[in-house]
Amino acid sequence: MSLAAAPQNHQSNPDDASIVFSKSERMFPNMSFDFQDTGEDRSLTERMIADHQITHLLMPHVIADADAKRATAHDLQNRFKFVWQLSGTHHFEDRHQSLTLSPGEMMIVSVGRTYRLEMGENCEALLLFFDPASFPAWQEIVHRDMSKVIDASGAVAASAAAASALLHHARGGRADALAVRSVVELALSSLERDDEAPLRLPLSLQRARLLIGRNIGDATYGPDALAKDLGVCRRSLYSLFGRLGLSPAAFIKRQRLEHARNEILSDRNHQISLSTIALGNGFPDSSSFSHAFKAVYGVSPSALRSPRKLI
């Protein structure tokens, strides 16, 4: 709808309202918006850190419809968002469920789904967009607990505060990229269950991780060998990982990197060379190891060794 028809008693001038409407369409291309003419102020603030978007919204009395086809058209089908409700209410509805998010609560929403949002009076929220495929350990917990209300807790409040701080104080450097990743980890920690290990993978993937660990130094150990050891065909192996948005090769590579990272952090006296660690974890040379390591962790292996560098 056009905001030009907004009543004269609107607290923001027509240009401001038009800007908010325009920003909404730009920032959320998978959604269409219906701004109810209530005369209330609305605002949107965003900041990009690496490939994460953090958004603060004050959007009372707005209806938004998310469309899966539009998400795919804008290459957003694999993205998710945390929603921290600061005040007012968010009502979510799709063909499977209907629920309301209240102040202090959090929710994980798949951007690639079709659903409707109804933002109530005084609706204020904080959003953080991320791709769980960035880190295999995120996959299971995100898909398990998406589209559920996560009750208020210390971890939820702390992750919201950290996201807000990055929104308003980010400098765009490497430290901010590491910090936003930590916010995701902190938010996910609020989803851990008392009866299970943090971010636990399915049993089949736990077996895969164990097998990779046993063959961590064998550079030739790949998807075919893993499928054989698991007793499944190659197609079944790819189907197993595909349900979590992973590829077997990517999972194996990540396990090598995690093992190498733990070795570096444990070798406080620098007794083992980085070349030895690279070769011992299935990388052909230190150069390819360093490139792969930095792409995932944001710092090089040598930088991680410095006592001033933490990850």
Side-chain angles (χ1 to χ4, degrees), residues 57-279:
L57 59 85
L58 178 63
M59 299 282 276
H61 298 293
V62 173
I63 297 174
D65 289 293
D67 183 80
K69 292 182 178 179
R70 291 178 65 174
T72 300
H74 288 87
D75 197 26
L76 299 172
Q77 66 275 15
N78 297 321
R79 304 284 287 178
F80 286 74
K81 63 180 177 182
F82 288 109
V83 180
W84 291 276
Q85 193 67 24
L86 305 180
S87 65
T89 58
H90 246 110
H91 183 74
F92 293 78
E93 184 174 343
D94 60 20
R95 62 180 181 174
H96 301 294
Q97 63 181 343
S98 176
L99 53 88
T100 299
L101 200 62
S102 299
E105 296 175 336
M106 183 183 78
M107 185 176 180
I108 300 176
V109 181
S110 170
V111 178
R113 297 178 64 180
T114 295
Y115 57 88
R116 164 167 284 206
L117 299 177
E118 294 186 13
M119 305 175 212
E121 183 178 2
N122 300 320
C123 181
E124 182 180 9
L126 192 65
L127 315 178
L128 191 158
F129 293 80
F130 68 105
D131 182 356
S134 301
F135 295 93
W138 294 356
Q139 294 277 344
E140 172 69 7
I141 195 167
V142 167
H143 287 275
R144 184 194 71 194
D145 289 306
M146 68 177 181
S147 302
K148 298 179 182 178
V149 173
I150 294 103
D151 293 335
S153 68
V156 169
S159 59
S164 180
L166 282 173
L167 172 66
H168 296 291
H169 302 291
R171 297 181 178 179
R174 184 174 62 192
D176 287 341
L178 295 176
V180 74
R181 185 184 306 167
S182 297
V183 173
V184 175
E185 296 279 5
L186 180 58
L188 291 179
S189 73
S190 68
L191 307 180
E192 295 172 11
R193 298 173 179 174
D194 294 336
D195 60 347
E196 66 181 3
L199 305 180
R200 190 172 71 179
L201 294 174
L203 181 60
S204 53
L205 293 188
Q206 290 185 58
R207 287 184 58 213
R209 175 180 282 176
L210 179 62
L211 289 166
I212 295 166
R214 290 175 179 173
N215 296 275
I216 201 73
D218 183 358
T220 66
Y221 193 84
D224 289 340
L226 180 59
K228 181 180 178 180
D229 288 345
L230 285 172
V232 300
C233 66
R234 182 181 175 90
R235 182 175 180 179
S236 296
L237 181 73
Y238 276 83
S239 177
L240 168 66
F241 282 92
R243 288 195 292 269
L244 294 180
L246 298 170
S247 72
F251 185 80
I252 293 171
K253 185 176 183 179
R254 181 53 191 262
Q255 298 311 302
R256 296 188 189 281
L257 288 170
E258 287 186 358
H259 191 269
R261 175 180 177 271
N262 289 335
E263 281 194 58
I264 294 172
L265 293 174
S266 299
D267 183 29
R268 297 184 178 181
N269 296 322
H270 303 179
Q271 295 179 339
I272 307 173
S273 70
L274 292 177
S275 294
T276 299
I277 291 176
L279 294 173

Side-chain angles (χ1 to χ4, degrees), residues 3-4 12-27 35 42-46 59:
L3 293 182
S12 299
N13 61 57
D15 288 338
D16 289 340
S18 298
I19 289 173
V20 172
F21 186 79
S22 177
K23 288 174 69 175
S24 300
E25 293 188 316
R26 174 181 60 81
M27 293 163 59
F35 283 49
R42 302 184 177 99
S43 66
L44 281 170
T45 305
E46 68 169 332
M59 299 282 276

